[in-house]
Amino acid sequence: MSIESTADWEGLRQVANVARVTLDTLAAQVRPGVTTGQLDATAARLFAAHGSRSAPALVYGFPGTVLISVNDEIVHGIPGARRIRAGDIVKVDVTAEKNGYVADAARTVVLDGATDVSRRLAACAEAAFVASLAAARAGNPVNMIGRAVEGVVTRAGSSVVPSLEGHGGGRTIHEPPNVPNYFTRRQKDVLTEGLVITIEPLIAAGDGAVYQDSDGWTIRTNDGSPTAHHEHTLVITSGVPVLLTAGHC
């Protein structure tokens, strides 16, 4: 969507606040012994308290409130009985809906005992996101975002997952345009003032090849390498983008 009114701004601010508070709370609760199902129950309580709903459940029938992916799982992990362990690298992906607006954010939590590879990978995903913001300006081609992300990731010796990418948003989970994490001339769209998008580097320590698990949801690396994910919902302007889910609005 493209923001057209003060009502749009207010609606997006409200749902972005739900996503941010939920993500902050869950990230603080990721520790050894906690199950992914317990984290999901916390998210469900927070959503209910804020008059919000799980957008993945609402739109796609996802069997949980939030997506929690561990180690070689990069995204769409189903919460359940799995217990977090020391050394895990955990991706928490929150997409909230409230009053017809949607906001999406994700973070990678690296637990004590994790390998240096996992720690560097999480830092790389965040650094790639930050680097992309310089390209996220009205008038720039969308593919400049992918060029920025890919540059940071490849220089760090990691790989983007080409089949997973950012996207437009605001009214539902996935809207045009697609926002790849690599440079491609096939993406010919141009960023416009007020456009709502997500930027979300999804990266792997290995070659970036992935497959869908037998549960029909979870995406994992073919080579079993660890993964990282960093995401915010933002609004394009002629200058610095507005980071809705970071509270910068």
Side-chain angles (χ1 to χ4, degrees), residues 2-161:
S2 185
I3 292 179
E4 298 179 352
S5 66
T6 56
D8 285 342
W9 274 112
E10 183 58 28
L12 284 167
R13 286 189 177 106
Q14 288 185 16
V15 74
N17 182 64
V18 176
R20 177 181 58 80
V21 168
T22 303
L23 185 57
D24 287 347
T25 301
L26 297 183
Q29 292 182 0
V30 173
R31 64 177 67 92
V34 172
T35 70
T36 56
Q38 288 172 324
L39 295 172
D40 195 61
T42 296
R45 288 192 295 271
L46 286 168
F47 276 20
H50 286 87
S52 183
R53 298 182 291 178
S54 166
L58 183 67
V59 176
Y60 297 118
F62 180 73
T65 302
V66 295
L67 318 176
I68 304 177
S69 310
V70 184
N71 298 334
D72 64 315
E73 302 169 350
I74 186 166
V75 75
H76 303 164
I78 301 172
R82 181 174 186 164
R83 292 193 181 277
I84 304 298
R85 300 186 299 178
D88 282 345
I89 179 170
V90 181
K91 283 71 61 177
V92 182
D93 189 354
V94 175
T95 310
E97 184 277 339
K98 182 175 181 177
N99 297 329
Y101 293 93
V102 170
D104 194 356
R107 188 178 307 167
T108 298
V109 181
V110 183
L111 277 77
D112 289 344
T115 65
D116 288 343
V117 169
S118 291
R119 294 189 181 282
R120 288 195 297 269
L121 195 68
C124 179
E126 184 170 0
F129 173 84
V130 171
S132 75
L133 297 180
R137 302 286 195 277
N140 284 347
V142 172
N143 63 22
M144 287 182 63
I145 292 173
R147 186 195 294 274
V149 170
E150 185 177 32
V152 171
V153 174
T154 56
R155 284 193 297 273
S158 301
S159 302
V160 300
V161 176

